[in-house]
Amino acid sequence: MISATQAKRTLKDQNRWQLWLVIAANTLFLYGVIQANAIELSGLKGVFTDAKNLVSVGFAVLIATVISGFVSADMKARIVFLRWRNALPGHRAFTHYGPRDSRIDLQRLAAIHGTLPADAHEQNRLWYRIFKTIDELPHISQLHRDFLLLRDYTAIALLCLVIYGGFAIAMIRSGRVCFFYLALLVAQLIVVRQAAFHYGVRLVTNTLATAALQPQKPSPRSRKKSA
């Protein structure tokens, strides 16, 4: 069971140590490539044996906190969903994702919440109101946490590509090794962004599917519409 202390922690707090590990791993890997000038076991082993040249855990924590907070939530959504305006899947909850998911009873949701909106901002507002009624359910809370983790990881992966990639170009003499390292950074970004995208969509659809099954009284909004 989740303790009272854990319950009080925000999802971002729970994810922070994992983001620290992401930053530390990327930092150590870059260091290993530069030191060995090749991606090989002996080079990476030297990272852990030469303590004087290692980035300290405290410094890795500082970098993770700064980088994660450097990009706004709106910008992170734009990176994940590749949209500049109305980036969140909640902006298309009832016109795109809802109709495509056979688990979601849109008629029941309309009976509870009134006519489902078509405007992107109104869709996101209504979806968020629905989400807040069930966000403490374990499977919804876990999806939310996973999405936030992967969303922040995506932003970190992009910054690593820009910052660490630029540092690698300046420091790695071998063009082949530098190209391979940059390719790994790009692959990391693509994989994590795609995973964040799918978790974001699943959070929206699972929220709607679950909410449609919950016994609820009509909201003030729906009563006003019917009147």
Side-chain angles (χ1 to χ4, degrees):
M1 294 183 64
I2 300 176
S3 66
T5 302
Q6 287 177 316
K8 292 180 181 179
R9 295 167 60 196
T10 66
L11 295 179
K12 287 186 177 181
D13 288 337
Q14 295 176 44
N15 288 337
R16 184 163 290 133
W17 71 270
Q18 293 168 290
L19 297 175
W20 293 342
L21 290 179
V22 168
I23 292 294
N26 275 273
T27 302
L28 292 175
F29 188 65
L30 171 62
Y31 175 82
V33 173
I34 292 175
Q35 286 294 98
N37 204 25
I39 304 174
E40 57 185 11
L41 181 60
S42 60
L44 293 178
K45 184 178 179 180
V47 173
F48 298 96
T49 57
D50 190 359
K52 292 185 296 183
N53 294 325
L54 290 178
V55 177
S56 68
V57 174
F59 190 52
V61 168
L62 177 61
I63 295 174
T65 303
V66 171
I67 289 182
S68 180
F70 182 75
V71 183
S72 69
D74 287 341
M75 186 57 67
K76 290 174 183 176
R78 290 165 180 160
I79 295 170
V80 169
F81 299 105
L82 301 179
R83 287 173 173 263
W84 187 258
R85 297 184 60 189
N86 303 327
L88 292 169
H91 288 113
R92 295 166 295 284
F94 303 102
T95 56
H96 181 75
Y97 294 113
R100 294 188 175 195
D101 194 320
S102 59
R103 302 172 304 157
I104 300 174
D105 188 344
L106 292 175
Q107 291 184 344
R108 174 165 170 75
L109 290 175
I112 297 172
H113 300 283
T115 302
L116 301 178
D119 177 77
H121 291 287
E122 290 300 322
Q123 287 189 68
N124 194 51
R125 290 190 186 102
L126 177 57
W127 176 83
Y128 187 72
R129 285 199 297 270
I130 295 172
F131 167 72
K132 292 305 292 182
T133 65
I134 61 171
D135 63 338
E136 293 184 357
L137 293 178
H139 69 289
I140 298 296
S141 177
Q142 185 61 50
L143 265 178
H144 190 202
R145 178 183 176 182
D146 292 340
F147 168 65
L148 292 178
L149 172 64
L150 291 169
R151 183 201 65 177
D152 289 353
Y153 187 176
T154 300
I156 290 173
L158 178 59
L159 290 173
C160 284
L161 176 61
V162 175
I163 298 172
Y164 287 16
F167 195 72
I169 292 173
M171 297 294 294
I172 298 176
R173 295 180 180 179
S174 169
R176 181 179 62 84
V177 172
C178 184
F179 175 81
F180 185 59
Y181 174 73
L182 293 175
L184 289 177
L185 290 181
V186 171
Q188 174 183 233
L189 175 59
I190 292 173
V191 170
V192 175
R193 189 214 69 83
Q194 190 68 17
F197 177 91
H198 287 302
Y199 271 97
V201 172
R202 284 176 59 191
L203 178 60
V204 168
T205 56
N206 283 15
T207 294
L208 295 181
T210 301
L213 298 175
Q214 300 297 308
Q216 299 182 38
K217 296 180 180 179
S219 68
R221 180 176 179 272
S222 64
R223 289 198 297 266
K224 183 177 180 181
K225 289 283 186 179
S226 60

